């Protein structure tokens, strides 16, 4: 197994704050490339979350924990997944709403939308643990995109680009048929923006690690 020297992506967001858009592009590109390979090999992950995105010693992303993974062909060969699996905050609504089953790849892309929002906002897009029962998710479901972002802009997302907001909203669509595919995500206008270089990522995240250590030392001194 590969060693994830730097821990998981969740820790960097929780301990040192949200990523810039160039930094988010760097990691979302790596995530989508890995996810595209999984889908090409016939596997849907079904539990994508920041805790399952690990970083190696060079801060490159590794997708981990395939405990809930399933065949894209479906358990019965009809392309449909069964069972409520995954982590609620990243769970596509059709996972809990569909009695007839759901398709894995669109559900994975919903989780990517939650991940992308979390990376750039430092928080979750919905108030409730499950999107299907959340008032903010209902705004997206009803096409009230403006109201969804007006709520979050009060808490810091006003700095995000319109193209990023457009991509996130597309990934969080209630209807899985309306979500973009991985190829369509890569073709989205947001990906034409600046992407952090590997050198910039290493420099930035090493600084983050130093700040976290300094913060821990200060807290220990106070105790």
């Amino acid at each position: 197994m590969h060693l994830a020297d730097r821990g998981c992506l969740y820790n960097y967001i929780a301990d040192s704050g949200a990523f810039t858009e160039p930094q988010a592009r760097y990691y979302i590109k790596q995530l989508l490339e890995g996810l595209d390979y999984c889908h090409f090999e016939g596997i849907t992950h079904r539990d994508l979350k920041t805790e399952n995105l690990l970083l190696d010693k060079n801060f490159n992303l590794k997708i981990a924990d395939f405990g809930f993974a399933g065949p894209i062909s479906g358990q019965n060969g009809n392309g449909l997944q069964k069972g409520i699996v995954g982590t609620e905050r990243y769970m596509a609504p059709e996972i809990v709403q569909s009695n007839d089953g759901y398709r894995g790849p669109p559900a994975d892309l919903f989780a990517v939308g939650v991940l992308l929002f979390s990376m750039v906002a430092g928080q979750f897009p919905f108030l409730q643990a499950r999107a299907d029962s959340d008032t903010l998710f209902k705004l997206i479901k009803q096409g009230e995109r403006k109201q969804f972002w007006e709520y979050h802009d009060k808490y810091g997302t006003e700095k995000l680009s319109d193209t990023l907001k457009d991509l996130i909203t597309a990934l969080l669509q209630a209807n899985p048929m309306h979500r973009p595919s991985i190829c369509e995500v890569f073709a989205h206008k947001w990906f034409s923006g600046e992407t952090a270089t590997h050198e910039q990522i290493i420099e930035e995240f090493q600084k983050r690690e130093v700040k976290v250590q300094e913060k821990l030392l200060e807290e220990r001194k106070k105790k």
Side-chain angles (χ1 to χ4, degrees):
M1 296 175 68
H2 293 182
L3 178 62
D5 304 62
R6 304 292 184 173
C8 67
L9 207 63
Y10 171 84
N11 292 338
Y12 287 90
I13 298 172
D15 294 339
S16 55
F19 299 172
T20 65
E21 291 191 33
Q23 292 164 359
R25 279 192 199 91
Y26 180 88
Y27 281 114
I28 285 295
K29 282 183 176 180
Q30 288 197 342
L31 170 59
L32 288 173
E33 287 169 356
L35 186 60
D36 189 45
Y37 176 78
C38 292
H39 289 179
F40 178 78
E41 292 294 326
I43 298 296
T44 176
H45 190 281
R46 302 203 297 171
D47 195 21
L48 292 172
K49 56 183 177 179
T50 50
E51 295 90 332
N52 286 342
L53 302 181
L54 308 183
L55 301 178
D56 67 14
K57 64 180 180 181
N58 293 315
F59 297 98
N60 285 310
L61 185 145
K62 304 287 184 182
I63 301 174
D65 193 352
F66 284 77
F68 289 138
I72 288 180
S73 59
Q75 284 89 338
N76 298 321
N78 60 359
L80 298 178
Q81 305 295 318
K82 292 283 189 177
I84 300 176
V85 299
T87 302
E88 285 189 324
R89 287 199 175 274
Y90 299 85
M91 198 179 289
E94 64 268 21
I95 293 178
V96 294
Q97 291 177 345
S98 177
N99 294 323
D100 298 324
Y102 58 91
R103 298 193 180 277
D108 283 344
L109 268 296
F110 184 92
V112 171
V114 178
L115 281 162
L116 180 53
F117 186 99
S118 300
M119 282 184 193
V120 296
Q123 58 192 15
F124 289 103
F126 308 123
L127 301 174
Q128 301 296 320
R130 268 177 36 187
D132 65 307
S133 59
D134 186 81
T135 54
L136 292 177
F137 176 71
K138 288 176 182 176
L139 292 177
I140 293 180
K141 186 176 181 179
Q142 295 164 1
E144 304 291 344
R145 174 185 185 276
K146 182 178 179 182
Q147 287 87 332
F148 173 84
W149 286 108
E150 282 178 347
Y151 175 87
H152 283 295
D153 284 350
K154 293 184 293 185
Y155 301 97
T157 62
E158 79 283 349
K159 66 183 183 297
L160 302 180
S161 67
D162 289 339
T163 54
L164 176 54
K165 289 180 177 180
D166 181 75
L167 176 57
I168 291 173
T169 305
L171 288 165
L172 297 179
Q173 288 300 304
N175 187 335
M177 299 296 292
H178 294 168
R179 289 176 212 143
S181 65
I182 291 177
C183 289
E184 289 170 333
V185 173
F186 274 126
H188 192 276
K189 188 176 181 180
W190 183 68
F191 274 99
S192 65
E194 177 190 359
T195 300
T197 65
H198 188 205
E199 291 72 23
Q200 289 171 334
I201 288 292
I202 291 175
E203 181 180 1
E204 169 64 20
F205 282 78
Q206 285 178 338
K207 289 179 181 178
R208 284 175 177 250
E209 288 183 339
V210 170
K211 289 180 180 179
V212 170
Q213 291 301 318
E214 291 175 347
K215 182 179 177 181
L216 289 173
L217 288 173
E218 286 297 320
E219 291 175 351
R220 287 170 184 170
K221 287 179 182 178
K222 291 178 182 179
K223 293 178 180 180

